[in-house]
Amino acid sequence: MKKVDVIANSVIPVEVVPYNPGWKKEFDKIKDRMLEMVGDLILSVEHVGSTSVVGLSAKPIIDLDLVMDSYTVLPEIIERFQQFGYVHHGNQGIEGREVFERTADDGFMNYHLYVCPQDGKGYLEHIAFRDYLRTHPSAVEEYEQVKLSLARQYRYDREAYTEGKTEFVRSILNKVMH
């Protein structure tokens, strides 16, 4: 069965909005909160995903990678996050990226929270893709057009929207990771 995001029995549409400079401030607030909870267990907090690229339209959801030295600290991170109402969902099929979900409103805008080892594939790909876009304005324009087109085409199908971006993302990662 296809996974869809639902609120009050209605499917949440895919919404790609123009870049908002406030996303950086919101990331900083969420980062500070993460550091309060698990700062002693991690190396850094990275703003990744489309909201981390100035000028790029995006779904208004902050993506954060909390970088850990190794998986040896993950059990303590899971335990600590559980105390604050987060649920650990494993890697959801992506090596080197552990997914956490907040279960209570914490006053921040929507965000996706990942905990990754510093040498994990998921983390390294997030950083490589972000950094490439930050230094290649033509790629930002191209990616934005891909996203806007997919958001129109798959307005009520997040899975298809995400899958549709894969070819573009892989093309960039193939340039920078090999």
PDB file of all heavy atoms in Angstrom, residues 127-163:
ATOM      1  N   ILE A 127      25.251  16.068   1.849  1.00  0.00           N
ATOM      2  CA  ILE A 127      26.213  17.174   1.849  1.00  0.00           C
ATOM      3  C   ILE A 127      26.733  17.440   0.435  1.00  0.00           C
ATOM      4  O   ILE A 127      26.833  18.595   0.009  1.00  0.00           O
ATOM      5  CB  ILE A 127      27.383  16.882   2.814  1.00  0.00           C
ATOM      6  CG1 ILE A 127      26.865  16.796   4.256  1.00  0.00           C
ATOM      7  CG2 ILE A 127      28.484  17.934   2.696  1.00  0.00           C
ATOM      8  CD1 ILE A 127      26.168  18.033   4.768  1.00  0.00           C
ATOM      9  N   ALA A 128      27.057  16.379  -0.295  1.00  0.00           N
ATOM     10  CA  ALA A 128      27.591  16.546  -1.656  1.00  0.00           C
ATOM     11  C   ALA A 128      26.560  17.223  -2.561  1.00  0.00           C
ATOM     12  O   ALA A 128      26.900  18.140  -3.322  1.00  0.00           O
ATOM     13  CB  ALA A 128      27.986  15.186  -2.235  1.00  0.00           C
ATOM     14  N   PHE A 129      25.297  16.808  -2.467  1.00  0.00           N
ATOM     15  CA  PHE A 129      24.255  17.387  -3.295  1.00  0.00           C
ATOM     16  C   PHE A 129      24.019  18.850  -2.917  1.00  0.00           C
ATOM     17  O   PHE A 129      23.974  19.731  -3.785  1.00  0.00           O
ATOM     18  CB  PHE A 129      22.964  16.575  -3.153  1.00  0.00           C
ATOM     19  CG  PHE A 129      21.869  16.992  -4.086  1.00  0.00           C
ATOM     20  CD1 PHE A 129      21.982  16.785  -5.448  1.00  0.00           C
ATOM     21  CD2 PHE A 129      20.716  17.591  -3.600  1.00  0.00           C
ATOM     22  CE1 PHE A 129      20.969  17.169  -6.326  1.00  0.00           C
ATOM     23  CE2 PHE A 129      19.704  17.980  -4.468  1.00  0.00           C
ATOM     24  CZ  PHE A 129      19.828  17.773  -5.833  1.00  0.00           C
ATOM     25  N   ARG A 130      23.900  19.115  -1.620  1.00  0.00           N
ATOM     26  CA  ARG A 130      23.702  20.493  -1.146  1.00  0.00           C
ATOM     27  C   ARG A 130      24.838  21.400  -1.605  1.00  0.00           C
ATOM     28  O   ARG A 130      24.615  22.480  -2.145  1.00  0.00           O
ATOM     29  CB  ARG A 130      23.607  20.511   0.380  1.00  0.00           C
ATOM     30  CG  ARG A 130      23.480  21.919   0.962  1.00  0.00           C
ATOM     31  CD  ARG A 130      23.833  21.987   2.423  1.00  0.00           C
ATOM     32  NE  ARG A 130      25.266  21.824   2.633  1.00  0.00           N
ATOM     33  CZ  ARG A 130      25.827  21.664   3.824  1.00  0.00           C
ATOM     34  NH1 ARG A 130      25.068  21.622   4.925  1.00  0.00           N
ATOM     35  NH2 ARG A 130      27.130  21.532   3.947  1.00  0.00           N
ATOM     36  N   ASP A 131      26.061  20.962  -1.388  1.00  0.00           N
ATOM     37  CA  ASP A 131      27.216  21.801  -1.708  1.00  0.00           C
ATOM     38  C   ASP A 131      27.348  22.036  -3.208  1.00  0.00           C
ATOM     39  O   ASP A 131      27.743  23.119  -3.644  1.00  0.00           O
ATOM     40  CB  ASP A 131      28.498  21.202  -1.133  1.00  0.00           C
ATOM     41  CG  ASP A 131      28.540  21.300   0.401  1.00  0.00           C
ATOM     42  OD1 ASP A 131      27.653  21.951   1.000  1.00  0.00           O
ATOM     43  OD2 ASP A 131      29.461  20.709   0.992  1.00  0.00           O
ATOM     44  N   TYR A 132      26.988  21.043  -4.014  1.00  0.00           N
ATOM     45  CA  TYR A 132      27.021  21.227  -5.466  1.00  0.00           C
ATOM     46  C   TYR A 132      26.014  22.306  -5.870  1.00  0.00           C
ATOM     47  O   TYR A 132      26.341  23.225  -6.624  1.00  0.00           O
ATOM     48  CB  TYR A 132      26.717  19.913  -6.195  1.00  0.00           C
ATOM     49  CG  TYR A 132      26.819  20.050  -7.696  1.00  0.00           C
ATOM     50  CD1 TYR A 132      28.039  19.899  -8.339  1.00  0.00           C
ATOM     51  CD2 TYR A 132      25.705  20.379  -8.468  1.00  0.00           C
ATOM     52  CE1 TYR A 132      28.152  20.046  -9.717  1.00  0.00           C
ATOM     53  CE2 TYR A 132      25.805  20.530  -9.846  1.00  0.00           C
ATOM     54  CZ  TYR A 132      27.037  20.367 -10.462  1.00  0.00           C
ATOM     55  OH  TYR A 132      27.145  20.531 -11.821  1.00  0.00           O
ATOM     56  N   LEU A 133      24.791  22.197  -5.355  1.00  0.00           N
ATOM     57  CA  LEU A 133      23.777  23.189  -5.707  1.00  0.00           C
ATOM     58  C   LEU A 133      24.180  24.588  -5.243  1.00  0.00           C
ATOM     59  O   LEU A 133      23.954  25.563  -5.961  1.00  0.00           O
ATOM     60  CB  LEU A 133      22.415  22.809  -5.119  1.00  0.00           C
ATOM     61  CG  LEU A 133      21.725  21.599  -5.737  1.00  0.00           C
ATOM     62  CD1 LEU A 133      20.407  21.319  -5.025  1.00  0.00           C
ATOM     63  CD2 LEU A 133      21.496  21.775  -7.228  1.00  0.00           C
ATOM     64  N   ARG A 134      24.773  24.681  -4.072  1.00  0.00           N
ATOM     65  CA  ARG A 134      25.170  25.989  -3.551  1.00  0.00           C
ATOM     66  C   ARG A 134      26.209  26.683  -4.428  1.00  0.00           C
ATOM     67  O   ARG A 134      26.356  27.896  -4.349  1.00  0.00           O
ATOM     68  CB  ARG A 134      25.716  25.854  -2.127  1.00  0.00           C
ATOM     69  CG  ARG A 134      24.635  25.625  -1.085  1.00  0.00           C
ATOM     70  CD  ARG A 134      25.239  25.503   0.295  1.00  0.00           C
ATOM     71  NE  ARG A 134      24.207  25.477   1.337  1.00  0.00           N
ATOM     72  CZ  ARG A 134      24.474  25.317   2.624  1.00  0.00           C
ATOM     73  NH1 ARG A 134      25.723  25.174   3.038  1.00  0.00           N
ATOM     74  NH2 ARG A 134      23.494  25.304   3.499  1.00  0.00           N
ATOM     75  N   THR A 135      26.912  25.937  -5.244  1.00  0.00           N
ATOM     76  CA  THR A 135      27.977  26.525  -6.073  1.00  0.00           C
ATOM     77  C   THR A 135      27.691  26.446  -7.569  1.00  0.00           C
ATOM     78  O   THR A 135      28.547  26.813  -8.367  1.00  0.00           O
ATOM     79  CB  THR A 135      29.327  25.839  -5.774  1.00  0.00           C
ATOM     80  OG1 THR A 135      29.199  24.429  -6.013  1.00  0.00           O
ATOM     81  CG2 THR A 135      29.758  26.077  -4.327  1.00  0.00           C
ATOM     82  N   HIS A 136      26.502  25.979  -7.948  1.00  0.00           N
ATOM     83  CA  HIS A 136      26.146  25.853  -9.362  1.00  0.00           C
ATOM     84  C   HIS A 136      24.735  26.402  -9.608  1.00  0.00           C
ATOM     85  O   HIS A 136      23.761  25.638  -9.631  1.00  0.00           O
ATOM     86  CB  HIS A 136      26.235  24.385  -9.812  1.00  0.00           C
ATOM     87  CG  HIS A 136      27.631  23.857  -9.815  1.00  0.00           C
ATOM     88  ND1 HIS A 136      28.253  23.402  -8.673  1.00  0.00           N
ATOM     89  CD2 HIS A 136      28.530  23.748 -10.818  1.00  0.00           C
ATOM     90  CE1 HIS A 136      29.479  23.007  -8.975  1.00  0.00           C
ATOM     91  NE2 HIS A 136      29.674  23.212 -10.265  1.00  0.00           N
ATOM     92  N   PRO A 137      24.618  27.729  -9.813  1.00  0.00           N
ATOM     93  CA  PRO A 137      23.300  28.352  -9.994  1.00  0.00           C
ATOM     94  C   PRO A 137      22.482  27.747 -11.133  1.00  0.00           C
ATOM     95  O   PRO A 137      21.247  27.659 -11.027  1.00  0.00           O
ATOM     96  CB  PRO A 137      23.623  29.818 -10.284  1.00  0.00           C
ATOM     97  CG  PRO A 137      25.006  30.027  -9.764  1.00  0.00           C
ATOM     98  CD  PRO A 137      25.704  28.703  -9.845  1.00  0.00           C
ATOM     99  N   SER A 138      23.111  27.303 -12.211  1.00  0.00           N
ATOM    100  CA  SER A 138      22.345  26.723 -13.318  1.00  0.00           C
ATOM    101  C   SER A 138      21.697  25.404 -12.892  1.00  0.00           C
ATOM    102  O   SER A 138      20.584  25.076 -13.325  1.00  0.00           O
ATOM    103  CB  SER A 138      23.219  26.527 -14.555  1.00  0.00           C
ATOM    104  OG  SER A 138      24.264  25.617 -14.289  1.00  0.00           O
ATOM    105  N   ALA A 139      22.377  24.641 -12.030  1.00  0.00           N
ATOM    106  CA  ALA A 139      21.793  23.399 -11.518  1.00  0.00           C
ATOM    107  C   ALA A 139      20.606  23.701 -10.604  1.00  0.00           C
ATOM    108  O   ALA A 139      19.616  22.962 -10.600  1.00  0.00           O
ATOM    109  CB  ALA A 139      22.844  22.581 -10.778  1.00  0.00           C
ATOM    110  N   VAL A 140      20.695  24.802  -9.841  1.00  0.00           N
ATOM    111  CA  VAL A 140      19.581  25.214  -8.981  1.00  0.00           C
ATOM    112  C   VAL A 140      18.359  25.520  -9.845  1.00  0.00           C
ATOM    113  O   VAL A 140      17.251  25.064  -9.557  1.00  0.00           O
ATOM    114  CB  VAL A 140      19.961  26.438  -8.116  1.00  0.00           C
ATOM    115  CG1 VAL A 140      18.736  27.003  -7.388  1.00  0.00           C
ATOM    116  CG2 VAL A 140      21.045  26.057  -7.116  1.00  0.00           C
ATOM    117  N   GLU A 141      18.553  26.274 -10.914  1.00  0.00           N
ATOM    118  CA  GLU A 141      17.441  26.610 -11.813  1.00  0.00           C
ATOM    119  C   GLU A 141      16.830  25.351 -12.426  1.00  0.00           C
ATOM    120  O   GLU A 141      15.606  25.209 -12.492  1.00  0.00           O
ATOM    121  CB  GLU A 141      17.915  27.554 -12.916  1.00  0.00           C
ATOM    122  CG  GLU A 141      18.235  28.948 -12.421  1.00  0.00           C
ATOM    123  CD  GLU A 141      18.831  29.829 -13.512  1.00  0.00           C
ATOM    124  OE1 GLU A 141      18.559  29.577 -14.707  1.00  0.00           O
ATOM    125  OE2 GLU A 141      19.576  30.761 -13.158  1.00  0.00           O
ATOM    126  N   GLU A 142      17.685  24.443 -12.872  1.00  0.00           N
ATOM    127  CA  GLU A 142      17.198  23.209 -13.486  1.00  0.00           C
ATOM    128  C   GLU A 142      16.432  22.355 -12.479  1.00  0.00           C
ATOM    129  O   GLU A 142      15.343  21.839 -12.769  1.00  0.00           O
ATOM    130  CB  GLU A 142      18.384  22.416 -14.063  1.00  0.00           C
ATOM    131  CG  GLU A 142      17.977  21.195 -14.833  1.00  0.00           C
ATOM    132  CD  GLU A 142      19.173  20.412 -15.391  1.00  0.00           C
ATOM    133  OE1 GLU A 142      20.311  20.934 -15.379  1.00  0.00           O
ATOM    134  OE2 GLU A 142      18.955  19.271 -15.823  1.00  0.00           O
ATOM    135  N   TYR A 143      16.980  22.216 -11.279  1.00  0.00           N
ATOM    136  CA  TYR A 143      16.334  21.419 -10.243  1.00  0.00           C
ATOM    137  C   TYR A 143      14.996  22.041  -9.850  1.00  0.00           C
ATOM    138  O   TYR A 143      13.999  21.333  -9.655  1.00  0.00           O
ATOM    139  CB  TYR A 143      17.260  21.296  -9.039  1.00  0.00           C
ATOM    140  CG  TYR A 143      16.812  20.313  -7.989  1.00  0.00           C
ATOM    141  CD1 TYR A 143      16.246  19.088  -8.324  1.00  0.00           C
ATOM    142  CD2 TYR A 143      16.976  20.600  -6.638  1.00  0.00           C
ATOM    143  CE1 TYR A 143      15.847  18.186  -7.354  1.00  0.00           C
ATOM    144  CE2 TYR A 143      16.587  19.704  -5.653  1.00  0.00           C
ATOM    145  CZ  TYR A 143      16.026  18.502  -6.020  1.00  0.00           C
ATOM    146  OH  TYR A 143      15.633  17.603  -5.053  1.00  0.00           O
ATOM    147  N   GLU A 144      14.957  23.353  -9.765  1.00  0.00           N
ATOM    148  CA  GLU A 144      13.714  24.031  -9.426  1.00  0.00           C
ATOM    149  C   GLU A 144      12.631  23.732 -10.462  1.00  0.00           C
ATOM    150  O   GLU A 144      11.480  23.450 -10.106  1.00  0.00           O
ATOM    151  CB  GLU A 144      13.958  25.537  -9.322  1.00  0.00           C
ATOM    152  CG  GLU A 144      12.728  26.318  -8.905  1.00  0.00           C
ATOM    153  CD  GLU A 144      13.082  27.748  -8.587  1.00  0.00           C
ATOM    154  OE1 GLU A 144      13.242  28.545  -9.536  1.00  0.00           O
ATOM    155  OE2 GLU A 144      13.202  28.060  -7.394  1.00  0.00           O
ATOM    156  N   GLN A 145      12.987  23.756 -11.734  1.00  0.00           N
ATOM    157  CA  GLN A 145      12.009  23.456 -12.791  1.00  0.00           C
ATOM    158  C   GLN A 145      11.517  22.014 -12.687  1.00  0.00           C
ATOM    159  O   GLN A 145      10.329  21.743 -12.852  1.00  0.00           O
ATOM    160  CB  GLN A 145      12.597  23.750 -14.176  1.00  0.00           C
ATOM    161  CG  GLN A 145      12.785  25.230 -14.453  1.00  0.00           C
ATOM    162  CD  GLN A 145      11.558  26.066 -14.103  1.00  0.00           C
ATOM    163  OE1 GLN A 145      10.455  25.781 -14.555  1.00  0.00           O
ATOM    164  NE2 GLN A 145      11.754  27.083 -13.278  1.00  0.00           N
ATOM    165  N   VAL A 146      12.441  21.097 -12.384  1.00  0.00           N
ATOM    166  CA  VAL A 146      12.059  19.689 -12.199  1.00  0.00           C
ATOM    167  C   VAL A 146      11.054  19.585 -11.058  1.00  0.00           C
ATOM    168  O   VAL A 146       9.994  18.948 -11.190  1.00  0.00           O
ATOM    169  CB  VAL A 146      13.304  18.813 -11.922  1.00  0.00           C
ATOM    170  CG1 VAL A 146      12.913  17.440 -11.407  1.00  0.00           C
ATOM    171  CG2 VAL A 146      14.175  18.703 -13.168  1.00  0.00           C
ATOM    172  N   LYS A 147      11.351  20.212  -9.950  1.00  0.00           N
ATOM    173  CA  LYS A 147      10.493  20.133  -8.764  1.00  0.00           C
ATOM    174  C   LYS A 147       9.121  20.756  -9.008  1.00  0.00           C
ATOM    175  O   LYS A 147       8.092  20.192  -8.619  1.00  0.00           O
ATOM    176  CB  LYS A 147      11.174  20.811  -7.576  1.00  0.00           C
ATOM    177  CG  LYS A 147      12.396  20.044  -7.080  1.00  0.00           C
ATOM    178  CD  LYS A 147      13.281  20.876  -6.193  1.00  0.00           C
ATOM    179  CE  LYS A 147      12.574  21.498  -5.059  1.00  0.00           C
ATOM    180  NZ  LYS A 147      12.905  20.958  -3.768  1.00  0.00           N
ATOM    181  N   LEU A 148       9.092  21.922  -9.626  1.00  0.00           N
ATOM    182  CA  LEU A 148       7.819  22.594  -9.884  1.00  0.00           C
ATOM    183  C   LEU A 148       6.950  21.776 -10.830  1.00  0.00           C
ATOM    184  O   LEU A 148       5.734  21.640 -10.622  1.00  0.00           O
ATOM    185  CB  LEU A 148       8.066  24.005 -10.439  1.00  0.00           C
ATOM    186  CG  LEU A 148       8.651  24.999  -9.441  1.00  0.00           C
ATOM    187  CD1 LEU A 148       9.103  26.272 -10.159  1.00  0.00           C
ATOM    188  CD2 LEU A 148       7.659  25.313  -8.330  1.00  0.00           C
ATOM    189  N   SER A 149       7.564  21.215 -11.853  1.00  0.00           N
ATOM    190  CA  SER A 149       6.831  20.381 -12.800  1.00  0.00           C
ATOM    191  C   SER A 149       6.274  19.139 -12.109  1.00  0.00           C
ATOM    192  O   SER A 149       5.098  18.788 -12.285  1.00  0.00           O
ATOM    193  CB  SER A 149       7.762  19.991 -13.957  1.00  0.00           C
ATOM    194  OG  SER A 149       7.120  19.079 -14.808  1.00  0.00           O
ATOM    195  N   LEU A 150       7.095  18.485 -11.313  1.00  0.00           N
ATOM    196  CA  LEU A 150       6.646  17.282 -10.599  1.00  0.00           C
ATOM    197  C   LEU A 150       5.556  17.613  -9.584  1.00  0.00           C
ATOM    198  O   LEU A 150       4.616  16.830  -9.407  1.00  0.00           O
ATOM    199  CB  LEU A 150       7.830  16.608  -9.896  1.00  0.00           C
ATOM    200  CG  LEU A 150       8.838  15.921 -10.812  1.00  0.00           C
ATOM    201  CD1 LEU A 150      10.106  15.578 -10.038  1.00  0.00           C
ATOM    202  CD2 LEU A 150       8.235  14.680 -11.451  1.00  0.00           C
ATOM    203  N   ALA A 151       5.682  18.763  -8.917  1.00  0.00           N
ATOM    204  CA  ALA A 151       4.668  19.155  -7.931  1.00  0.00           C
ATOM    205  C   ALA A 151       3.312  19.372  -8.602  1.00  0.00           C
ATOM    206  O   ALA A 151       2.268  19.063  -8.013  1.00  0.00           O
ATOM    207  CB  ALA A 151       5.107  20.416  -7.194  1.00  0.00           C
ATOM    208  N   ARG A 152       3.315  19.898  -9.819  1.00  0.00           N
ATOM    209  CA  ARG A 152       2.050  20.048 -10.563  1.00  0.00           C
ATOM    210  C   ARG A 152       1.518  18.681 -11.004  1.00  0.00           C
ATOM    211  O   ARG A 152       0.340  18.382 -10.866  1.00  0.00           O
ATOM    212  CB  ARG A 152       2.257  20.939 -11.788  1.00  0.00           C
ATOM    213  CG  ARG A 152       2.342  22.416 -11.479  1.00  0.00           C
ATOM    214  CD  ARG A 152       2.328  23.280 -12.735  1.00  0.00           C
ATOM    215  NE  ARG A 152       3.456  23.013 -13.626  1.00  0.00           N
ATOM    216  CZ  ARG A 152       4.630  23.639 -13.563  1.00  0.00           C
ATOM    217  NH1 ARG A 152       4.837  24.567 -12.656  1.00  0.00           N
ATOM    218  NH2 ARG A 152       5.596  23.330 -14.411  1.00  0.00           N
ATOM    219  N   GLN A 153       2.420  17.861 -11.519  1.00  0.00           N
ATOM    220  CA  GLN A 153       2.022  16.556 -12.055  1.00  0.00           C
ATOM    221  C   GLN A 153       1.558  15.590 -10.968  1.00  0.00           C
ATOM    222  O   GLN A 153       0.637  14.811 -11.171  1.00  0.00           O
ATOM    223  CB  GLN A 153       3.203  15.961 -12.820  1.00  0.00           C
ATOM    224  CG  GLN A 153       2.890  14.684 -13.553  1.00  0.00           C
ATOM    225  CD  GLN A 153       4.089  14.194 -14.368  1.00  0.00           C
ATOM    226  OE1 GLN A 153       5.128  14.829 -14.435  1.00  0.00           O
ATOM    227  NE2 GLN A 153       3.923  13.048 -14.994  1.00  0.00           N
ATOM    228  N   TYR A 154       2.225  15.623  -9.814  1.00  0.00           N
ATOM    229  CA  TYR A 154       1.945  14.658  -8.742  1.00  0.00           C
ATOM    230  C   TYR A 154       1.507  15.365  -7.457  1.00  0.00           C
ATOM    231  O   TYR A 154       1.960  15.029  -6.371  1.00  0.00           O
ATOM    232  CB  TYR A 154       3.192  13.809  -8.467  1.00  0.00           C
ATOM    233  CG  TYR A 154       3.624  13.006  -9.664  1.00  0.00           C
ATOM    234  CD1 TYR A 154       4.815  13.284 -10.318  1.00  0.00           C
ATOM    235  CD2 TYR A 154       2.838  11.970 -10.147  1.00  0.00           C
ATOM    236  CE1 TYR A 154       5.220  12.547 -11.421  1.00  0.00           C
ATOM    237  CE2 TYR A 154       3.229  11.231 -11.250  1.00  0.00           C
ATOM    238  CZ  TYR A 154       4.420  11.525 -11.882  1.00  0.00           C
ATOM    239  OH  TYR A 154       4.811  10.793 -12.971  1.00  0.00           O
ATOM    240  N   ARG A 155       0.609  16.311  -7.592  1.00  0.00           N
ATOM    241  CA  ARG A 155       0.182  17.141  -6.461  1.00  0.00           C
ATOM    242  C   ARG A 155      -0.282  16.313  -5.257  1.00  0.00           C
ATOM    243  O   ARG A 155      -0.064  16.705  -4.113  1.00  0.00           O
ATOM    244  CB  ARG A 155      -0.926  18.088  -6.924  1.00  0.00           C
ATOM    245  CG  ARG A 155      -1.382  19.044  -5.849  1.00  0.00           C
ATOM    246  CD  ARG A 155      -2.070  20.249  -6.420  1.00  0.00           C
ATOM    247  NE  ARG A 155      -2.676  21.089  -5.402  1.00  0.00           N
ATOM    248  CZ  ARG A 155      -2.003  21.899  -4.602  1.00  0.00           C
ATOM    249  NH1 ARG A 155      -0.703  21.965  -4.684  1.00  0.00           N
ATOM    250  NH2 ARG A 155      -2.635  22.621  -3.704  1.00  0.00           N
ATOM    251  N   TYR A 156      -0.903  15.183  -5.492  1.00  0.00           N
ATOM    252  CA  TYR A 156      -1.422  14.370  -4.386  1.00  0.00           C
ATOM    253  C   TYR A 156      -0.720  13.021  -4.278  1.00  0.00           C
ATOM    254  O   TYR A 156      -1.300  12.068  -3.759  1.00  0.00           O
ATOM    255  CB  TYR A 156      -2.939  14.197  -4.531  1.00  0.00           C
ATOM    256  CG  TYR A 156      -3.658  15.517  -4.429  1.00  0.00           C
ATOM    257  CD1 TYR A 156      -4.102  16.179  -5.559  1.00  0.00           C
ATOM    258  CD2 TYR A 156      -3.829  16.136  -3.184  1.00  0.00           C
ATOM    259  CE1 TYR A 156      -4.728  17.418  -5.466  1.00  0.00           C
ATOM    260  CE2 TYR A 156      -4.446  17.371  -3.082  1.00  0.00           C
ATOM    261  CZ  TYR A 156      -4.891  18.007  -4.222  1.00  0.00           C
ATOM    262  OH  TYR A 156      -5.499  19.233  -4.118  1.00  0.00           O
ATOM    263  N   ASP A 157       0.513  12.962  -4.768  1.00  0.00           N
ATOM    264  CA  ASP A 157       1.272  11.711  -4.705  1.00  0.00           C
ATOM    265  C   ASP A 157       2.733  12.024  -4.372  1.00  0.00           C
ATOM    266  O   ASP A 157       3.573  12.174  -5.248  1.00  0.00           O
ATOM    267  CB  ASP A 157       1.160  10.985  -6.052  1.00  0.00           C
ATOM    268  CG  ASP A 157       1.754   9.580  -6.010  1.00  0.00           C
ATOM    269  OD1 ASP A 157       2.537   9.277  -5.080  1.00  0.00           O
ATOM    270  OD2 ASP A 157       1.453   8.799  -6.924  1.00  0.00           O
ATOM    271  N   ARG A 158       3.013  12.133  -3.075  1.00  0.00           N
ATOM    272  CA  ARG A 158       4.365  12.488  -2.626  1.00  0.00           C
ATOM    273  C   ARG A 158       5.408  11.460  -3.059  1.00  0.00           C
ATOM    274  O   ARG A 158       6.539  11.805  -3.353  1.00  0.00           O
ATOM    275  CB  ARG A 158       4.418  12.657  -1.103  1.00  0.00           C
ATOM    276  CG  ARG A 158       3.800  13.939  -0.644  1.00  0.00           C
ATOM    277  CD  ARG A 158       3.821  14.085   0.875  1.00  0.00           C
ATOM    278  NE  ARG A 158       3.212  15.352   1.211  1.00  0.00           N
ATOM    279  CZ  ARG A 158       3.900  16.438   1.510  1.00  0.00           C
ATOM    280  NH1 ARG A 158       5.199  16.412   1.562  1.00  0.00           N
ATOM    281  NH2 ARG A 158       3.286  17.566   1.796  1.00  0.00           N
ATOM    282  N   GLU A 159       5.013  10.208  -3.066  1.00  0.00           N
ATOM    283  CA  GLU A 159       5.947   9.156  -3.452  1.00  0.00           C
ATOM    284  C   GLU A 159       6.398   9.345  -4.906  1.00  0.00           C
ATOM    285  O   GLU A 159       7.586   9.255  -5.220  1.00  0.00           O
ATOM    286  CB  GLU A 159       5.273   7.796  -3.262  1.00  0.00           C
ATOM    287  CG  GLU A 159       6.221   6.638  -3.150  1.00  0.00           C
ATOM    288  CD  GLU A 159       5.476   5.360  -2.786  1.00  0.00           C
ATOM    289  OE1 GLU A 159       5.135   5.183  -1.599  1.00  0.00           O
ATOM    290  OE2 GLU A 159       5.248   4.546  -3.703  1.00  0.00           O
ATOM    291  N   ALA A 160       5.437   9.613  -5.797  1.00  0.00           N
ATOM    292  CA  ALA A 160       5.768   9.821  -7.209  1.00  0.00           C
ATOM    293  C   ALA A 160       6.578  11.109  -7.383  1.00  0.00           C
ATOM    294  O   ALA A 160       7.509  11.157  -8.199  1.00  0.00           O
ATOM    295  CB  ALA A 160       4.505   9.871  -8.054  1.00  0.00           C
ATOM    296  N   TYR A 161       6.246  12.140  -6.624  1.00  0.00           N
ATOM    297  CA  TYR A 161       7.008  13.396  -6.669  1.00  0.00           C
ATOM    298  C   TYR A 161       8.471  13.130  -6.301  1.00  0.00           C
ATOM    299  O   TYR A 161       9.387  13.516  -7.019  1.00  0.00           O
ATOM    300  CB  TYR A 161       6.389  14.427  -5.709  1.00  0.00           C
ATOM    301  CG  TYR A 161       7.277  15.613  -5.448  1.00  0.00           C
ATOM    302  CD1 TYR A 161       7.341  16.678  -6.346  1.00  0.00           C
ATOM    303  CD2 TYR A 161       8.080  15.667  -4.308  1.00  0.00           C
ATOM    304  CE1 TYR A 161       8.175  17.766  -6.115  1.00  0.00           C
ATOM    305  CE2 TYR A 161       8.908  16.742  -4.073  1.00  0.00           C
ATOM    306  CZ  TYR A 161       8.951  17.789  -4.976  1.00  0.00           C
ATOM    307  OH  TYR A 161       9.790  18.848  -4.748  1.00  0.00           O
ATOM    308  N   THR A 162       8.666  12.446  -5.195  1.00  0.00           N
ATOM    309  CA  THR A 162      10.024  12.149  -4.729  1.00  0.00           C
ATOM    310  C   THR A 162      10.758  11.270  -5.731  1.00  0.00           C
ATOM    311  O   THR A 162      11.917  11.528  -6.067  1.00  0.00           O
ATOM    312  CB  THR A 162       9.969  11.478  -3.341  1.00  0.00           C
ATOM    313  OG1 THR A 162       9.329  12.382  -2.433  1.00  0.00           O
ATOM    314  CG2 THR A 162      11.356  11.134  -2.831  1.00  0.00           C
ATOM    315  N   GLU A 163      10.099  10.247  -6.222  1.00  0.00           N
ATOM    316  CA  GLU A 163      10.704   9.344  -7.205  1.00  0.00           C
ATOM    317  C   GLU A 163      11.085  10.103  -8.474  1.00  0.00           C
ATOM    318  O   GLU A 163      12.129   9.851  -9.069  1.00  0.00           O
ATOM    319  CB  GLU A 163       9.740   8.197  -7.535  1.00  0.00           C
ATOM    320  CG  GLU A 163      10.305   7.174  -8.481  1.00  0.00           C
ATOM    321  CD  GLU A 163      11.530   6.436  -7.959  1.00  0.00           C
ATOM    322  OE1 GLU A 163      11.629   6.223  -6.738  1.00  0.00           O
ATOM    323  OE2 GLU A 163      12.400   6.091  -8.786  1.00  0.00           O
TER     324      GLU A 163
END
